[in-house]
């Protein structure tokens, strides 16, 4: 007999269907009824997302680049059978490093019983859609400075070099060229 899993685990397919119904104009209570969840669950999902649907791809639209839910479930089953990482990779036709990385990234220290394919899939999808705020969107002074340089026809590379020397507090690992290029292609809204 298998014990029930502890903690909340979202059913991503049902949640995706719920958000699709809301997008078509169906009310929250009716959408909850149609997908078979409680009204409170629907309201919680809306509150957690600020009323906006998640920015992830629906399950059926996954590319070959990322592991699918089925592949993660197979990894979990094979790990419970003590199959080696290399053998799992061979059976799934993936690189051993992909399987190893998946197990390392998506097995939490508090997970009882080891790797869980459903929970790992949820974690991976949440990580894919983590919103990243751009400094140009949150710092109006910096945005105006970059826009001024773009108006004077500075290249993105020139702006990036200027940003590196004049904004030393930028987060490590961010590319000033990408930020300035994005700023040059994103229309500004006047305030």
């Amino acid at each position: 007999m298998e014990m029930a899993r502890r903690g909340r685990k979202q059913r991503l397919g049902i949640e995706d269907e719920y958000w699709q119904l809301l997008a078509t104009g169906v009310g929250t209570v009716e959408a909850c009824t149609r997908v078979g969840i409680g009204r409170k669950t629907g309201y919680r999902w809306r509150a957690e997302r600020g009323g906006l649907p998640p920015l992830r791809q629906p399950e059926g639209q996954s590319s070959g680049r990322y592991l699918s839910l089925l592949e993660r479930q197979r990894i979990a089953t094979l790990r419970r059978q003590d199959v080696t990482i290399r053998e799992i990779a061979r059976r799934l036709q993936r690189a051993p490093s992909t399987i190893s990385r998946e197990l390392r990234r998506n097995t939490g220290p508090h997970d009882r019983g080891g790797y869980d394919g459903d929970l790992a899939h949820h974690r991976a999808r949440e990580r894919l859609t983590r919103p990243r705020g751009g400094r140009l969107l949150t710092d109006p002074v910096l945005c105006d400075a970059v826009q001024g340089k773009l108006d004077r026809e500075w290249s993105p590379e020139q702006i990036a070099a200027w940003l590196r020397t004049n904004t030393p507090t930028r987060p490590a690992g961010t590319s000033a060229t990408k930020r300035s290029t994005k700023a040059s292609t994103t229309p500004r809204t006047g305030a």
Side-chain angles (χ1 to χ4, degrees), residues 129-170:
T129 60
R130 184 174 297 148
R132 297 181 182 178
R135 276 193 61 205
L136 291 177
L137 296 174
T138 59
D139 186 350
V141 174
L142 183 62
C143 183
D144 289 339
V146 169
Q147 187 62 46
K149 298 197 181 314
L150 289 169
D151 292 343
R152 285 181 264 151
E153 298 183 1
W154 280 37
S155 71
E157 290 79 14
Q158 289 172 315
I159 295 171
W162 176 82
L163 285 171
R164 278 191 296 272
T165 58
N166 294 310
T167 56
T169 60
R170 72 180 173 86

Side-chain angles (χ1 to χ4, degrees), residues 6 47 50 60 67 86 89 97 113 132 134 138 141 156 159 178 185 187 191:
R6 297 172 59 94
L67 290 172
R86 288 190 178 276
S97 60
R132 297 181 182 178
T138 59
V141 174
I159 295 171
K178 288 179 186 173
T185 58

Side-chain angles (χ1 to χ4, degrees), residues 4-183:
R5 293 189 179 113
R6 297 172 59 94
R8 191 181 97 205
K9 185 192 297 189
Q10 290 184 348
R11 296 160 291 177
L12 297 174
I14 293 174
E15 187 178 356
D16 288 339
E17 188 179 345
Y18 167 79
W19 285 107
Q20 288 171 355
L21 286 170
L22 290 182
T24 61
V26 175
T28 301
V29 175
E30 179 63 23
C32 293
T33 303
R34 287 188 190 180
V35 299
I37 59 172
R39 179 182 48 84
K40 288 184 177 182
T41 301
Y43 282 120
R44 187 185 72 235
W45 285 347
R46 286 186 70 173
E48 286 173 350
R49 302 280 182 195
L52 300 174
L55 298 174
R56 64 175 177 257
Q57 291 181 333
E59 188 57 41
Q61 298 178 1
S62 295
S63 68
R65 179 177 178 189
Y66 303 105
L67 290 172
S68 68
L69 174 60
L70 180 61
E71 288 175 311
R72 288 188 169 99
Q73 290 170 339
R74 289 189 68 201
I75 291 170
T77 302
L78 294 171
R79 286 304 285 177
R80 280 193 298 275
Q81 297 171 356
D82 293 324
V83 176
T84 65
I85 290 175
R86 288 190 178 276
E87 179 60 20
I88 293 172
R90 188 188 66 72
R91 290 184 189 184
L92 296 180
Q93 297 179 345
R94 295 282 190 162
S97 60
T98 301
I99 306 303
S100 175
R101 187 179 315 113
E102 171 66 19
L103 292 169
R104 187 175 59 250
R105 285 182 180 166
N106 293 318
T107 303
H110 60 278
D111 290 347
R112 294 182 184 177
Y115 181 81
D116 179 334
D118 295 318
L119 187 56
H121 193 65
H122 172 71
R123 287 175 178 158
R125 289 181 75 186
E126 287 297 311
R127 214 173 19 253
L128 271 178
T129 60
R130 184 174 297 148
R132 297 181 182 178
R135 276 193 61 205
L136 291 177
L137 296 174
T138 59
D139 186 350
V141 174
L142 183 62
C143 183
D144 289 339
V146 169
Q147 187 62 46
K149 298 197 181 314
L150 289 169
D151 292 343
R152 285 181 264 151
E153 298 183 1
W154 280 37
S155 71
E157 290 79 14
Q158 289 172 315
I159 295 171
W162 176 82
L163 285 171
R164 278 191 296 272
T165 58
N166 294 310
T167 56
T169 60
R170 72 180 173 86
T174 59
S175 169
T177 305
K178 288 179 186 173
R179 288 196 323 251
S180 62
T181 303
K182 185 174 181 180

